Amino acid sequence: MIVFATSDKGGTGRSVTSCNLGYRLSRRGRSIAYVDFDFGSPTAGAIFELGGFERGVPPDRAASGASIGKGLHSYLLGEISVPTRINVRDNTSRDDVRRLRGRGGQLVLFPGDESGGELRSGNDPEVIDRCARLLLSVEREFDICLVDLSGGRSTAMEMALNATATDALQSRTVRWLIFQRWTHQHILATCGLVHGAHGLLDRGQRAGHSREKLLESVRFVRTAIPRLDRSCGGPAPQAVWLHQQDRMLNALAGASRVGASSLLGTVPVEPILQWREQLILDVDVQKEIAEAGTVAAYDRLADALLDERIWRPLPGVLRPRS
Ligand SMILES: Nc1ncnc2c1ncn2[C@@H]1O[C@H](COP(=O)(O)OP(=O)(O)OP(=O)(O)O)[C@@H](O)[C@H]1O
Ligand SMILES: [Mg+2]
């Protein structure tokens, strides 16, 4: 299965949530490849705490025994034939993750290049071909290939749509997770990214996808949602206001075709993540540093990603407007 993670706006929690999702899935025994196509901002190395690779593969990094060469930018541009891969459990400086070595499925990062920058075009046939070959081989080797795409109507998204429209990948299971914060602007932006001109469906159709099928492979993830139950402990007018806003946002999301019927899951505000981008581990909850609700939310997301019932077409609800 190939899972693309994208968003219209930046700072939606796409990378942090995807890394945590990948980690939870790997703990369940699934082998996970995390492919960092967030070309402008490859941050997965920092979230997984891979010393030296916080911003992708540094330009001066000499090849070493850990198969460290160049990253995904160099691969897609044809400068290398095999991109660098880093086994997260073996190389992370997070002791509690290292201790899990040998337990669960493998978790492997394919990092971008530190100085890579955005791709110039998502329509270059050679880049598309390299991308398709990489996705196909990673999808064959791993249970789940999680791809973090640059935000917005990016060249990365265009390349991904073109690659998955090729014959080799058309038969594979491909899912799209669209990340957003739970605010007025984010809802409108998400609607634009999926349904708007030059958005996912538009570009997907131009790449050769069926608009309807593509939409069936899209689900939304809302991150950093304030806890309404807690706010009820605060001043009463504040609680009333927050509940009112939540209802209004739900109505707006429904009207914008990014509502509850196509929601994969939500992640509550996690205090740790407001300070630091990282994996949230069970041990963080046991130490009472992290909220139990955060880990539970990542687990529910992992369940939902694997639950075929959730990915069945929703008659009438998700149909694109003609
Ligand atoms: N559940 C959460 N609660 C609180 N903060 C969160 C949560 N999830 C993510 N964050 C924080 O939000 C910020 C943005 O997250 P992240 O970098 O994952 O977003 P992104 O969409 O990948 O951004 P970019 O567009 O820059 O790649 C980070 O500081 C992260 O720690
Ligand atoms: Mg990111």
Side-chain angles (χ1 to χ4, degrees):
M1 181 196 300
I2 301 171
V3 180
F4 291 108
T6 190
S7 60
D8 189 64
K9 288 181 163 293
T12 57
R14 185 180 73 246
S15 304
V16 164
T17 311
S18 300
C19 286
N20 274 283
L21 176 61
Y23 172 72
R24 302 308 302 177
L25 287 163
S26 79
R27 289 217 53 193
R28 294 169 181 208
R30 309 277 171 156
S31 59
I32 307 296
Y34 192 102
V35 176
D36 201 348
F37 278 172
D38 187 352
F39 297 119
S41 167
T43 51
I47 299 167
F48 289 132
E49 299 186 44
L50 302 169
F53 299 94
E54 286 87 354
R55 305 280 308 155
V57 182
D60 55 352
R61 186 84 188 186
S64 80
S67 71
I68 304 302
K70 286 184 165 186
L72 290 171
H73 295 80
S74 306
Y75 167 79
L76 290 169
L77 296 175
E79 292 165 19
I80 53 167
S81 53
V82 181
T84 291
R85 53 164 73 194
I86 306 173
N87 184 306
V88 172
R89 288 209 188 89
D90 289 349
N91 293 284
T92 180
S93 48
R94 189 98 194 258
D95 289 341
D96 291 314
V97 178
R98 288 176 71 86
R99 263 183 224 115
L100 295 171
R101 271 193 283 179
R103 298 199 345 235
Q106 59 172 331
L107 176 58
V108 171
L109 171 66
F110 289 75
D113 287 305
E114 189 176 303
S115 51
E118 263 301 339
L119 284 182
R120 242 174 288 132
S121 160
N123 284 317
D124 180 331
E126 287 185 9
V127 172
I128 295 167
D129 179 58
R130 282 182 212 114
C131 175
R133 277 190 281 131
L134 175 73
L135 292 177
L136 195 63
S137 76
V138 171
E139 201 262 354
R140 282 196 183 125
E141 182 182 345
F142 295 84
D143 294 325
I144 298 170
C145 169
L146 256 175
V147 187
D148 188 3
L149 294 175
S150 309
R153 293 157 173 82
S154 61
T155 50
M157 183 178 89
E158 190 148 49
M159 175 187 69
L161 286 165
N162 283 318
T164 50
T166 57
D167 289 345
L169 280 168
Q170 278 243 334
S171 59
R172 318 312 299 171
T173 300
V174 175
R175 292 178 173 161
W176 288 82
L177 306 186
I178 317 290
F179 287 81
Q180 61 176 121
R181 296 277 168 130
W182 194 222
T183 74
H184 193 265
Q185 277 195 24
H186 276 256
I187 291 169
L188 296 179
T190 303
C191 172
L193 178 72
V194 176
H195 301 281
H198 311 295
L200 184 76
L201 298 180
D202 244 21
R203 283 190 169 177
Q205 195 171 16
R206 254 183 281 147
H209 290 277
S210 139
R211 200 175 169 96
E212 193 164 290
K213 275 200 146 172
L214 187 55
L215 188 53
E216 285 166 7
S217 71
V218 170
R219 294 292 182 276
F220 301 96
V221 179
R222 301 174 190 160
T223 67
I225 308 285
R227 286 186 171 80
L228 288 174
D229 49 336
R230 291 237 181 118
S231 67
C232 292
Q238 185 185 62
V240 170
W241 188 89
L242 287 172
H243 278 279
Q244 217 172 33
Q245 289 303 309
D246 190 47
R247 278 195 297 277
M248 279 172 53
L249 292 177
N250 270 305
L252 179 65
S256 308
R257 291 167 288 161
V258 300
S261 58
S262 42
L263 182 68
L264 190 74
T266 60
V267 183
V269 168
E270 165 53 56
I272 286 185
L273 296 177
Q274 287 181 305
W275 292 84
R276 192 165 190 275
E277 296 79 6
Q278 64 169 65
L279 295 178
I280 303 295
L281 309 180
D282 293 331
V283 69
D284 298 322
V285 176
Q286 284 151 20
K287 288 179 187 163
E288 300 188 349
I289 301 168
E291 304 273 347
T294 309
V295 165
Y298 291 141
D299 271 333
R300 277 198 302 277
L301 267 185
D303 288 337
L305 183 65
L306 301 174
D307 185 346
E308 292 306 321
R309 289 168 305 176
I310 288 176
W311 293 90
R312 278 188 203 140
L314 299 169
V317 178
L318 275 174
R319 295 283 173 264
R321 284 178 193 158
S322 52

mmCIF file of all heavy atoms in Angstrom, residues 88-132:
data_model
loop_
_atom_site.group_PDB
_atom_site.id
_atom_site.type_symbol
_atom_site.label_atom_id
_atom_site.label_comp_id
_atom_site.label_asym_id
_atom_site.label_seq_id
_atom_site.Cartn_x
_atom_site.Cartn_y
_atom_site.Cartn_z
ATOM 1 N N VAL A 88 15.536 3.308 11.094
ATOM 2 C CA VAL A 88 15.300 4.250 12.192
ATOM 3 C C VAL A 88 15.698 3.645 13.534
ATOM 4 O O VAL A 88 16.394 4.289 14.333
ATOM 5 C CB VAL A 88 13.814 4.697 12.207
ATOM 6 C CG1 VAL A 88 13.499 5.526 13.453
ATOM 7 C CG2 VAL A 88 13.498 5.493 10.939
ATOM 8 N N ARG A 89 15.290 2.414 13.818
ATOM 9 C CA ARG A 89 15.574 1.848 15.151
ATOM 10 C C ARG A 89 17.074 1.687 15.398
ATOM 11 O O ARG A 89 17.538 1.839 16.507
ATOM 12 C CB ARG A 89 14.888 0.490 15.308
ATOM 13 C CG ARG A 89 13.393 0.638 15.441
ATOM 14 C CD ARG A 89 12.801 -0.498 16.257
ATOM 15 N NE ARG A 89 11.362 -0.404 16.178
ATOM 16 C CZ ARG A 89 10.636 -0.986 15.240
ATOM 17 N NH1 ARG A 89 11.202 -1.734 14.327
ATOM 18 N NH2 ARG A 89 9.332 -0.832 15.222
ATOM 19 N N ASP A 90 17.830 1.396 14.334
ATOM 20 C CA ASP A 90 19.279 1.207 14.500
ATOM 21 C C ASP A 90 20.005 2.530 14.652
ATOM 22 O O ASP A 90 21.080 2.585 15.240
ATOM 23 C CB ASP A 90 19.872 0.486 13.276
ATOM 24 C CG ASP A 90 19.440 -0.967 13.226
ATOM 25 O OD1 ASP A 90 18.879 -1.446 14.232
ATOM 26 O OD2 ASP A 90 19.647 -1.614 12.183
ATOM 27 N N ASN A 91 19.456 3.594 14.097
ATOM 28 C CA ASN A 91 20.225 4.835 14.001
ATOM 29 C C ASN A 91 19.691 6.012 14.801
ATOM 30 O O ASN A 91 20.343 7.051 14.874
ATOM 31 C CB ASN A 91 20.338 5.244 12.519
ATOM 32 C CG ASN A 91 21.187 4.264 11.736
ATOM 33 O OD1 ASN A 91 22.406 4.264 11.842
ATOM 34 N ND2 ASN A 91 20.542 3.390 10.981
ATOM 35 N N THR A 92 18.530 5.854 15.419
ATOM 36 C CA THR A 92 17.979 6.970 16.178
ATOM 37 C C THR A 92 18.770 7.181 17.474
ATOM 38 O O THR A 92 19.322 6.231 18.036
ATOM 39 C CB THR A 92 16.490 6.725 16.527
ATOM 40 O OG1 THR A 92 15.995 7.839 17.274
ATOM 41 C CG2 THR A 92 16.286 5.461 17.345
ATOM 42 N N SER A 93 18.796 8.438 17.924
ATOM 43 C CA SER A 93 19.443 8.671 19.220
ATOM 44 C C SER A 93 18.419 8.590 20.347
ATOM 45 O O SER A 93 18.749 8.824 21.504
ATOM 46 C CB SER A 93 20.172 10.019 19.222
ATOM 47 O OG SER A 93 19.326 11.010 18.725
ATOM 48 N N ARG A 94 17.195 8.265 20.020
ATOM 49 C CA ARG A 94 16.144 8.098 21.041
ATOM 50 C C ARG A 94 16.262 6.687 21.626
ATOM 51 O O ARG A 94 15.882 5.692 20.980
ATOM 52 C CB ARG A 94 14.791 8.309 20.357
ATOM 53 C CG ARG A 94 13.613 8.391 21.268
ATOM 54 C CD ARG A 94 13.228 9.829 21.557
ATOM 55 N NE ARG A 94 12.318 9.871 22.675
ATOM 56 C CZ ARG A 94 11.001 10.026 22.570
ATOM 57 N NH1 ARG A 94 10.456 10.202 21.387
ATOM 58 N NH2 ARG A 94 10.243 10.037 23.644
ATOM 59 N N ASP A 95 16.786 6.600 22.847
ATOM 60 C CA ASP A 95 17.075 5.291 23.454
ATOM 61 C C ASP A 95 15.864 4.373 23.483
ATOM 62 O O ASP A 95 15.971 3.172 23.240
ATOM 63 C CB ASP A 95 17.600 5.465 24.883
ATOM 64 C CG ASP A 95 19.003 6.051 24.878
ATOM 65 O OD1 ASP A 95 19.657 5.972 23.816
ATOM 66 O OD2 ASP A 95 19.430 6.607 25.920
ATOM 67 N N ASP A 96 14.702 4.943 23.814
ATOM 68 C CA ASP A 96 13.508 4.101 23.952
ATOM 69 C C ASP A 96 13.075 3.503 22.621
ATOM 70 O O ASP A 96 12.388 2.487 22.601
ATOM 71 C CB ASP A 96 12.357 4.902 24.578
ATOM 72 C CG ASP A 96 12.649 5.232 26.033
ATOM 73 O OD1 ASP A 96 13.085 4.326 26.759
ATOM 74 O OD2 ASP A 96 12.474 6.405 26.425
ATOM 75 N N VAL A 97 13.448 4.129 21.534
ATOM 76 C CA VAL A 97 13.140 3.560 20.211
ATOM 77 C C VAL A 97 14.198 2.518 19.855
ATOM 78 O O VAL A 97 13.887 1.447 19.328
ATOM 79 C CB VAL A 97 13.054 4.673 19.140
ATOM 80 C CG1 VAL A 97 12.791 4.080 17.761
ATOM 81 C CG2 VAL A 97 11.963 5.673 19.500
ATOM 82 N N ARG A 98 15.449 2.812 20.195
ATOM 83 C CA ARG A 98 16.538 1.852 19.928
ATOM 84 C C ARG A 98 16.298 0.542 20.664
ATOM 85 O O ARG A 98 16.573 -0.528 20.140
ATOM 86 C CB ARG A 98 17.880 2.425 20.380
ATOM 87 C CG ARG A 98 18.402 3.532 19.511
ATOM 88 C CD ARG A 98 19.674 4.095 20.080
ATOM 89 N NE ARG A 98 20.787 3.164 19.935
ATOM 90 C CZ ARG A 98 21.537 3.087 18.854
ATOM 91 N NH1 ARG A 98 21.300 3.871 17.829
ATOM 92 N NH2 ARG A 98 22.530 2.232 18.781
ATOM 93 N N ARG A 99 15.766 0.662 21.878
ATOM 94 C CA ARG A 99 15.515 -0.541 22.682
ATOM 95 C C ARG A 99 14.528 -1.494 22.018
ATOM 96 O O ARG A 99 14.480 -2.662 22.339
ATOM 97 C CB ARG A 99 14.971 -0.145 24.057
ATOM 98 C CG ARG A 99 16.071 -0.103 25.075
ATOM 99 C CD ARG A 99 15.593 0.204 26.467
ATOM 100 N NE ARG A 99 16.517 1.167 27.046
ATOM 101 C CZ ARG A 99 16.207 2.409 27.383
ATOM 102 N NH1 ARG A 99 14.976 2.832 27.280
ATOM 103 N NH2 ARG A 99 17.129 3.219 27.842
ATOM 104 N N LEU A 100 13.740 -0.967 21.108
ATOM 105 C CA LEU A 100 12.712 -1.804 20.448
ATOM 106 C C LEU A 100 13.283 -2.555 19.254
ATOM 107 O O LEU A 100 12.556 -3.204 18.517
ATOM 108 C CB LEU A 100 11.548 -0.928 19.976
ATOM 109 C CG LEU A 100 10.745 -0.260 21.079
ATOM 110 C CD1 LEU A 100 9.780 0.753 20.489
ATOM 111 C CD2 LEU A 100 9.980 -1.309 21.882
ATOM 112 N N ARG A 101 14.618 -2.447 19.069
ATOM 113 C CA ARG A 101 15.228 -3.114 17.924
ATOM 114 C C ARG A 101 14.880 -4.592 17.908
ATOM 115 O O ARG A 101 14.916 -5.262 18.941
ATOM 116 C CB ARG A 101 16.741 -2.948 17.947
ATOM 117 C CG ARG A 101 17.145 -1.686 17.205
ATOM 118 C CD ARG A 101 18.584 -1.651 16.941
ATOM 119 N NE ARG A 101 19.304 -1.299 18.172
ATOM 120 C CZ ARG A 101 20.618 -1.208 18.234
ATOM 121 N NH1 ARG A 101 21.344 -1.472 17.184
ATOM 122 N NH2 ARG A 101 21.199 -0.859 19.343
ATOM 123 N N GLY A 102 14.533 -5.096 16.759
ATOM 124 C CA GLY A 102 14.207 -6.520 16.649
ATOM 125 C C GLY A 102 12.759 -6.808 17.002
ATOM 126 O O GLY A 102 12.288 -7.921 16.825
ATOM 127 N N ARG A 103 12.043 -5.792 17.538
ATOM 128 C CA ARG A 103 10.617 -6.016 17.850
ATOM 129 C C ARG A 103 9.781 -5.217 16.863
ATOM 130 O O ARG A 103 10.060 -4.073 16.579
ATOM 131 C CB ARG A 103 10.308 -5.573 19.281
ATOM 132 C CG ARG A 103 11.116 -6.414 20.220
ATOM 133 C CD ARG A 103 10.710 -6.507 21.648
ATOM 134 N NE ARG A 103 9.786 -5.580 22.195
ATOM 135 C CZ ARG A 103 10.052 -4.838 23.294
ATOM 136 N NH1 ARG A 103 11.222 -4.909 23.854
ATOM 137 N NH2 ARG A 103 9.137 -4.074 23.805
ATOM 138 N N GLY A 104 8.782 -5.870 16.341
ATOM 139 C CA GLY A 104 7.925 -5.185 15.365
ATOM 140 C C GLY A 104 8.537 -5.223 13.980
ATOM 141 O O GLY A 104 9.573 -5.847 13.749
ATOM 142 N N GLY A 105 7.863 -4.532 13.067
ATOM 143 C CA GLY A 105 8.354 -4.489 11.689
ATOM 144 C C GLY A 105 9.422 -3.422 11.549
ATOM 145 O O GLY A 105 9.575 -2.566 12.421
ATOM 146 N N GLN A 106 10.152 -3.471 10.452
ATOM 147 C CA GLN A 106 11.202 -2.458 10.297
ATOM 148 C C GLN A 106 10.599 -1.107 9.913
ATOM 149 O O GLN A 106 9.516 -1.033 9.329
ATOM 150 C CB GLN A 106 12.245 -2.911 9.299
ATOM 151 C CG GLN A 106 11.724 -3.205 7.929
ATOM 152 C CD GLN A 106 12.871 -3.448 6.951
ATOM 153 O OE1 GLN A 106 13.968 -2.917 7.103
ATOM 154 N NE2 GLN A 106 12.617 -4.245 5.933
ATOM 155 N N LEU A 107 11.318 -0.068 10.303
ATOM 156 C CA LEU A 107 10.910 1.303 9.994
ATOM 157 C C LEU A 107 12.110 1.963 9.331
ATOM 158 O O LEU A 107 13.155 2.129 9.958
ATOM 159 C CB LEU A 107 10.535 2.026 11.299
ATOM 160 C CG LEU A 107 10.159 3.500 11.216
ATOM 161 C CD1 LEU A 107 8.973 3.740 10.287
ATOM 162 C CD2 LEU A 107 9.826 4.040 12.618
ATOM 163 N N VAL A 108 11.956 2.268 8.053
ATOM 164 C CA VAL A 108 13.102 2.742 7.266
ATOM 165 C C VAL A 108 12.769 4.099 6.647
ATOM 166 O O VAL A 108 11.717 4.255 6.026
ATOM 167 C CB VAL A 108 13.445 1.715 6.156
ATOM 168 C CG1 VAL A 108 14.486 2.270 5.199
ATOM 169 C CG2 VAL A 108 13.928 0.410 6.773
ATOM 170 N N LEU A 109 13.668 5.054 6.850
ATOM 171 C CA LEU A 109 13.491 6.379 6.249
ATOM 172 C C LEU A 109 14.285 6.489 4.950
ATOM 173 O O LEU A 109 15.472 6.147 4.912
ATOM 174 C CB LEU A 109 13.973 7.469 7.231
ATOM 175 C CG LEU A 109 14.043 8.886 6.648
ATOM 176 C CD1 LEU A 109 12.654 9.420 6.294
ATOM 177 C CD2 LEU A 109 14.745 9.849 7.619
ATOM 178 N N PHE A 110 13.613 6.955 3.908
ATOM 179 C CA PHE A 110 14.289 7.366 2.675
ATOM 180 C C PHE A 110 14.311 8.896 2.734
ATOM 181 O O PHE A 110 13.296 9.547 2.430
ATOM 182 C CB PHE A 110 13.516 6.890 1.438
ATOM 183 C CG PHE A 110 13.585 5.403 1.213
ATOM 184 C CD1 PHE A 110 12.841 4.534 2.001
ATOM 185 C CD2 PHE A 110 14.389 4.871 0.219
ATOM 186 C CE1 PHE A 110 12.900 3.162 1.809
ATOM 187 C CE2 PHE A 110 14.463 3.502 0.010
ATOM 188 C CZ PHE A 110 13.712 2.641 0.811
ATOM 189 N N PRO A 111 15.442 9.486 3.159
ATOM 190 C CA PRO A 111 15.466 10.942 3.348
ATOM 191 C C PRO A 111 15.673 11.704 2.044
ATOM 192 O O PRO A 111 16.211 11.170 1.076
ATOM 193 C CB PRO A 111 16.682 11.140 4.269
ATOM 194 C CG PRO A 111 17.556 9.973 4.026
ATOM 195 C CD PRO A 111 16.718 8.844 3.495
ATOM 196 N N GLY A 112 15.237 12.974 2.074
ATOM 197 C CA GLY A 112 15.563 13.870 0.968
ATOM 198 C C GLY A 112 16.986 14.378 1.137
ATOM 199 O O GLY A 112 17.694 14.006 2.078
ATOM 200 N N ASP A 113 17.415 15.236 0.209
ATOM 201 C CA ASP A 113 18.723 15.882 0.334
ATOM 202 C C ASP A 113 18.541 17.215 1.026
ATOM 203 O O ASP A 113 17.595 17.959 0.726
ATOM 204 C CB ASP A 113 19.328 16.124 -1.057
ATOM 205 C CG ASP A 113 19.804 14.835 -1.690
ATOM 206 O OD1 ASP A 113 20.603 14.131 -1.059
ATOM 207 O OD2 ASP A 113 19.339 14.528 -2.800
ATOM 208 N N GLU A 114 19.490 17.515 1.926
ATOM 209 C CA GLU A 114 19.360 18.718 2.741
ATOM 210 C C GLU A 114 19.212 19.983 1.902
ATOM 211 O O GLU A 114 18.408 20.848 2.190
ATOM 212 C CB GLU A 114 20.588 18.832 3.662
ATOM 213 C CG GLU A 114 20.436 19.905 4.683
ATOM 214 C CD GLU A 114 21.608 19.930 5.646
ATOM 215 O OE1 GLU A 114 21.881 18.891 6.292
ATOM 216 O OE2 GLU A 114 22.267 20.971 5.742
ATOM 217 N N SER A 115 19.976 20.070 0.845
ATOM 218 C CA SER A 115 19.944 21.312 0.054
ATOM 219 C C SER A 115 19.144 21.122 -1.233
ATOM 220 O O SER A 115 19.342 21.841 -2.208
ATOM 221 C CB SER A 115 21.375 21.733 -0.286
ATOM 222 O OG SER A 115 22.044 20.628 -0.852
ATOM 223 N N GLY A 116 18.223 20.165 -1.199
ATOM 224 C CA GLY A 116 17.518 19.801 -2.442
ATOM 225 C C GLY A 116 16.587 20.859 -2.994
ATOM 226 O O GLY A 116 16.635 21.188 -4.166
ATOM 227 N N GLY A 117 15.712 21.396 -2.163
ATOM 228 C CA GLY A 117 14.712 22.359 -2.650
ATOM 229 C C GLY A 117 13.622 21.668 -3.452
ATOM 230 O O GLY A 117 13.710 20.472 -3.751
ATOM 231 N N GLU A 118 12.582 22.457 -3.786
ATOM 232 C CA GLU A 118 11.449 21.904 -4.544
ATOM 233 C C GLU A 118 11.898 21.409 -5.929
ATOM 234 O O GLU A 118 12.813 21.972 -6.529
ATOM 235 C CB GLU A 118 10.375 22.980 -4.734
ATOM 236 C CG GLU A 118 9.242 22.944 -3.725
ATOM 237 C CD GLU A 118 8.461 21.623 -3.687
ATOM 238 O OE1 GLU A 118 8.505 20.867 -4.664
ATOM 239 O OE2 GLU A 118 7.830 21.354 -2.649
ATOM 240 N N LEU A 119 11.243 20.393 -6.418
ATOM 241 C CA LEU A 119 11.500 19.947 -7.790
ATOM 242 C C LEU A 119 11.015 21.018 -8.749
ATOM 243 O O LEU A 119 10.024 21.688 -8.469
ATOM 244 C CB LEU A 119 10.694 18.683 -8.084
ATOM 245 C CG LEU A 119 11.169 17.364 -7.513
ATOM 246 C CD1 LEU A 119 10.241 16.258 -7.986
ATOM 247 C CD2 LEU A 119 12.592 17.066 -7.933
ATOM 248 N N ARG A 120 11.699 21.158 -9.878
ATOM 249 C CA ARG A 120 11.280 22.202 -10.810
ATOM 250 C C ARG A 120 9.963 21.844 -11.506
ATOM 251 O O ARG A 120 9.142 22.682 -11.781
ATOM 252 C CB ARG A 120 12.381 22.486 -11.828
ATOM 253 C CG ARG A 120 12.854 23.931 -11.703
ATOM 254 C CD ARG A 120 14.039 24.233 -12.573
ATOM 255 N NE ARG A 120 15.263 23.611 -12.062
ATOM 256 C CZ ARG A 120 16.098 22.921 -12.813
ATOM 257 N NH1 ARG A 120 15.863 22.738 -14.083
ATOM 258 N NH2 ARG A 120 17.185 22.406 -12.293
ATOM 259 N N SER A 121 9.781 20.549 -11.774
ATOM 260 C CA SER A 121 8.551 20.148 -12.468
ATOM 261 C C SER A 121 8.112 18.762 -12.015
ATOM 262 O O SER A 121 8.943 17.895 -11.750
ATOM 263 C CB SER A 121 8.816 20.152 -13.982
ATOM 264 O OG SER A 121 7.851 19.365 -14.635
ATOM 265 N N GLY A 122 6.799 18.597 -11.908
ATOM 266 C CA GLY A 122 6.268 17.272 -11.590
ATOM 267 C C GLY A 122 5.827 16.545 -12.841
ATOM 268 O O GLY A 122 5.205 15.490 -12.783
ATOM 269 N N ASN A 123 6.143 17.150 -14.006
ATOM 270 C CA ASN A 123 5.687 16.578 -15.282
ATOM 271 C C ASN A 123 6.820 16.007 -16.130
ATOM 272 O O ASN A 123 6.572 15.518 -17.227
ATOM 273 C CB ASN A 123 4.967 17.655 -16.113
ATOM 274 C CG ASN A 123 3.576 17.910 -15.570
ATOM 275 O OD1 ASN A 123 2.858 16.961 -15.235
ATOM 276 N ND2 ASN A 123 3.208 19.168 -15.440
ATOM 277 N N ASP A 124 8.046 16.098 -15.656
ATOM 278 C CA ASP A 124 9.186 15.589 -16.412
ATOM 279 C C ASP A 124 9.081 14.057 -16.498
ATOM 280 O O ASP A 124 9.096 13.374 -15.469
ATOM 281 C CB ASP A 124 10.466 16.017 -15.674
ATOM 282 C CG ASP A 124 11.727 15.545 -16.371
ATOM 283 O OD1 ASP A 124 11.669 14.489 -17.043
ATOM 284 O OD2 ASP A 124 12.762 16.213 -16.228
ATOM 285 N N PRO A 125 8.975 13.507 -17.719
ATOM 286 C CA PRO A 125 8.762 12.054 -17.860
ATOM 287 C C PRO A 125 9.844 11.217 -17.177
ATOM 288 O O PRO A 125 9.546 10.154 -16.635
ATOM 289 C CB PRO A 125 8.779 11.827 -19.373
ATOM 290 C CG PRO A 125 8.527 13.163 -19.975
ATOM 291 C CD PRO A 125 9.014 14.195 -19.005
ATOM 292 N N GLU A 126 11.092 11.703 -17.198
ATOM 293 C CA GLU A 126 12.166 10.904 -16.576
ATOM 294 C C GLU A 126 12.025 10.893 -15.055
ATOM 295 O O GLU A 126 12.249 9.880 -14.398
ATOM 296 C CB GLU A 126 13.533 11.471 -16.976
ATOM 297 C CG GLU A 126 13.853 11.167 -18.427
ATOM 298 C CD GLU A 126 15.247 11.606 -18.813
ATOM 299 O OE1 GLU A 126 16.022 11.996 -17.910
ATOM 300 O OE2 GLU A 126 15.533 11.570 -20.015
ATOM 301 N N VAL A 127 11.647 12.041 -14.496
ATOM 302 C CA VAL A 127 11.449 12.124 -13.044
ATOM 303 C C VAL A 127 10.255 11.244 -12.637
ATOM 304 O O VAL A 127 10.314 10.493 -11.655
ATOM 305 C CB VAL A 127 11.232 13.594 -12.606
ATOM 306 C CG1 VAL A 127 10.843 13.671 -11.137
ATOM 307 C CG2 VAL A 127 12.485 14.416 -12.863
ATOM 308 N N ILE A 128 9.206 11.302 -13.436
ATOM 309 C CA ILE A 128 8.012 10.490 -13.148
ATOM 310 C C ILE A 128 8.374 9.007 -13.194
ATOM 311 O O ILE A 128 7.971 8.220 -12.330
ATOM 312 C CB ILE A 128 6.883 10.805 -14.156
ATOM 313 C CG1 ILE A 128 6.415 12.247 -13.969
ATOM 314 C CG2 ILE A 128 5.708 9.835 -14.006
ATOM 315 C CD1 ILE A 128 5.536 12.765 -15.090
ATOM 316 N N ASP A 129 9.155 8.638 -14.190
ATOM 317 C CA ASP A 129 9.539 7.228 -14.332
ATOM 318 C C ASP A 129 10.376 6.770 -13.129
ATOM 319 O O ASP A 129 10.139 5.706 -12.563
ATOM 320 C CB ASP A 129 10.338 7.063 -15.635
ATOM 321 C CG ASP A 129 10.775 5.626 -15.832
ATOM 322 O OD1 ASP A 129 9.879 4.760 -15.870
ATOM 323 O OD2 ASP A 129 11.992 5.372 -15.913
ATOM 324 N N ARG A 130 11.321 7.617 -12.716
ATOM 325 C CA ARG A 130 12.145 7.242 -11.543
ATOM 326 C C ARG A 130 11.281 7.149 -10.296
ATOM 327 O O ARG A 130 11.442 6.249 -9.464
ATOM 328 C CB ARG A 130 13.255 8.280 -11.326
ATOM 329 C CG ARG A 130 14.396 8.101 -12.294
ATOM 330 C CD ARG A 130 15.514 9.108 -12.026
ATOM 331 N NE ARG A 130 16.150 9.432 -13.287
ATOM 332 C CZ ARG A 130 16.137 10.620 -13.882
ATOM 333 N NH1 ARG A 130 15.558 11.641 -13.300
ATOM 334 N NH2 ARG A 130 16.721 10.791 -15.040
ATOM 335 N N CYS A 131 10.364 8.089 -10.165
ATOM 336 C CA CYS A 131 9.471 8.092 -8.998
ATOM 337 C C CYS A 131 8.626 6.817 -8.998
ATOM 338 O O CYS A 131 8.502 6.135 -7.971
ATOM 339 C CB CYS A 131 8.579 9.333 -9.045
ATOM 340 S SG CYS A 131 7.339 9.362 -7.751
ATOM 341 N N ALA A 132 8.052 6.463 -10.140
ATOM 342 C CA ALA A 132 7.196 5.271 -10.230
ATOM 343 C C ALA A 132 8.003 4.019 -9.900
ATOM 344 O O ALA A 132 7.528 3.143 -9.169
ATOM 345 C CB ALA A 132 6.589 5.166 -11.632
#
